[in-house]
Amino acid sequence: MTEHDTTGPALRERLVDTICTLLPHVLKREVTGATADTTLMAALGMSSTTGLELILELEDRLAVEISVEELGRDDFSTVGSLADYVAGNLLPEA
């Protein structure tokens, strides 16, 4: 990630956009109109397996490492809640 978007609203917006972009790939079907308020499990039927796949895809796409130690089902409530979790759990570069 570039230095200017590693904190705050810019990072969250980038994460929301990236998650929405990755959803069709991870869910293996078309996903249109996803926003920060889109519910991942209720609206999109995401499972715990596809949730972890999404985290791995995010790491690859953004070239970051995400701590999954505290990651729970509630973090997958919406696209925005997942973006918030990721923003707060990025591991420092080695």
Side-chain angles (χ1 to χ4, degrees):
M1 273 197 211
T2 58
E3 191 173 312
H4 70 278
D5 62 1
T6 57
T7 59
L11 173 61
R12 185 181 192 273
E13 185 177 330
R14 183 171 181 207
L15 288 167
V16 167
D17 289 346
T18 304
I19 291 166
C20 290
T21 299
L22 290 172
L23 285 172
H25 173 72
V26 172
L27 296 172
K28 297 175 181 34
R29 62 180 169 83
E30 188 174 334
V31 176
T32 58
T35 68
D37 296 325
T38 301
T39 55
L40 294 170
M41 293 186 179
L44 300 178
M46 180 173 281
S47 68
S48 56
T49 303
T50 51
L52 290 177
E53 185 179 342
L54 179 58
I55 293 292
L56 293 172
E57 291 288 339
L58 270 174
E59 288 181 327
D60 286 346
R61 177 72 58 99
L62 300 175
V64 297
E65 192 172 340
I66 302 162
S67 172
V68 293
E69 233 172 81
E70 303 292 322
L71 184 61
R73 186 174 179 89
D74 289 347
D75 298 309
F76 288 97
S77 180
T78 65
V79 170
S81 65
L82 182 58
D84 291 338
Y85 176 85
V86 171
N89 289 277
L90 292 174
L91 295 174
E93 294 180 23

